[in-house]
Amino acid sequence: MPAITGEKLFAILSWGGIGDTLRNISLIPHAAIFQRTGWRTPVVYLPWQQLGCRADALPPDALTIRDLVSRCPSLTWGGTDGLGTVARMANRLFRELLVIGNAGVPPIFAWELALSDGEKIEFKSDQPKIGIQTHLLGLPSKKWPLPQWRSFLEHLRKARPQAELHLIDPCPEVEALRFDEQIFTHQDLTLPQSIHLVRQMDYVISIDSWVKYVAAWDRIPQCVIIPDQRKDYPQLEAASLLRHEFATLAMRKEVLLIGLDKPRKQLTLPPMSQIRSDQIVDRILSSLPPLGTDV
């Protein structure tokens, strides 16, 4: 059956950062649609420059998203011309119906990416693995100085000595945090490889980044640290975050949110640079479940 493109039903808009795109694609059950109908859902890319996104937020370019889409059998590339009114309305209506059918919470649907044998990450041990997105690049409000990261990792290593720590970051400076044989860096991975890596973890820690959605696909226990980012993006108020980015994650028992008070709809942390490592690591360790053989 021919692929659906243009103004057709279920089209998805890719915009903003990597997390925005992964979330948008995850809100539509395109794998189930493809399995039942043979239709491939088009992903239409909207250049981040048109949306007021910041360049230092490292938004993906069209080639990155096109490569990502090409690896998923239930998706197809929809171009860069945006979505027309019919497609926008159909997408919004379909998503609203899915929310209603899921007790008012937006469902998140997992989807598969094809990697060649040479692209797959092979682990040398079966020890429990903690994935940590250190965010050394990107928005200033999400950056933590290297000494704070080192202190954080030292505490984590002491508390979970059998666990491997996998640092997910393309920044070359991440090598400075590899002070232990149980700490691994993955700075040369492509986005599909990084997604594959996250899905192999037993626990995931991130600074409000795209990895939170990937972990959510497989309900991997995770902690999301949410610093105050309003200096970079004034619209990132607590109410907005709970309504959009964390509408689903805030409802899941396996997700620990640090910095976002759901009942009071308040942000409780300053920007990352003003946070001490001990303010974070103790809270994570108190909720970290037993991981594999790490008991």
Side-chain angles (χ1 to χ4, degrees), residues 4 7 14 33 40 65 72 78 87-88 104 109 115 119 125 148 150 180 194 229 258 279:
I4 291 183
E7 290 280 341
S14 166
I33 293 171
R40 290 182 171 86
I65 300 303
C72 182
R88 284 179 178 271
F109 300 97
L115 275 74
E119 291 176 311
S125 76
Q148 291 285 54
R150 183 179 179 104
D180 189 293
S194 296
Q229 302 163 55
I258 299 180
Q279 292 176 292

Side-chain angles (χ1 to χ4, degrees), residues 53-270:
C53 293
R54 295 173 51 132
D56 58 0
L58 306 180
D61 57 22
L63 289 178
T64 298
I65 300 303
R66 185 167 189 170
D67 174 65
L68 194 71
V69 168
S70 71
R71 295 170 178 271
C72 182
S74 53
L75 298 174
T76 188
W77 179 243
T80 59
D81 295 330
L83 288 180
T85 303
V86 173
R88 284 179 178 271
M89 292 179 61
N91 183 276
R92 184 180 296 274
L93 175 61
F94 186 50
R95 283 167 53 173
E96 288 297 327
L97 292 174
L98 291 170
V99 171
I100 293 172
N102 195 47
V105 180
I108 290 181
F109 300 97
W111 41 291
E112 300 300 326
L113 293 172
L115 275 74
S116 68
D117 290 341
E119 291 176 311
K120 294 179 180 177
I121 297 93
E122 295 186 5
F123 297 110
K124 297 180 179 180
S125 76
D126 59 358
Q127 292 174 288
K129 296 169 176 58
I130 300 177
I132 306 170
Q133 207 283 335
T134 46
H135 220 295
L136 298 179
L137 296 173
L139 291 177
S141 57
K142 292 184 180 183
K143 289 183 179 179
W144 220 4
L146 285 173
Q148 291 285 54
W149 271 119
R150 183 179 179 104
S151 175
F152 176 88
L153 295 174
E154 287 174 346
H155 279 85
L156 198 56
R157 283 287 299 119
K158 184 177 180 180
R160 288 292 191 273
Q162 293 180 322
E164 296 178 355
L165 306 185
H166 291 264
L167 310 186
I168 307 164
D169 202 313
C171 181
E173 291 184 11
V174 74
E175 287 298 317
L177 298 174
R178 194 176 178 180
F179 57 84
D180 189 293
E181 63 180 8
Q182 289 288 85
I183 298 177
F184 301 84
T185 56
H186 302 277
Q187 65 190 77
D188 296 326
L189 298 185
T190 63
L191 178 56
Q193 287 178 305
S194 296
I195 290 173
H196 174 72
L197 177 71
V198 172
R199 300 187 77 177
Q200 313 309 307
M201 298 294 105
D202 297 293
Y203 192 84
V204 175
I205 300 170
S206 67
I207 312 296
D208 190 13
S209 71
W210 60 267
V211 303
K212 63 181 180 284
Y213 297 121
V214 177
W217 292 351
D218 301 321
R219 301 196 79 115
I220 299 171
Q222 63 170 309
C223 167
V224 186
I225 303 166
I226 308 160
D228 188 339
Q229 302 163 55
R230 289 175 293 182
K231 188 174 181 180
D232 295 329
Y233 283 116
Q235 67 270 30
L236 294 182
E237 297 282 353
S240 176
L241 292 172
L242 288 166
R243 188 166 55 250
H244 300 293
E245 286 89 342
F246 291 94
T248 302
L249 298 182
M251 303 297 292
R252 294 192 170 184
K253 294 180 179 180
E254 75 273 13
V255 180
L256 171 65
L257 302 181
I258 299 180
L260 183 58
D261 187 323
K262 180 184 174 183
R264 294 185 297 169
K265 295 184 178 180
Q266 291 181 356
L267 297 169
T268 61
L269 288 177

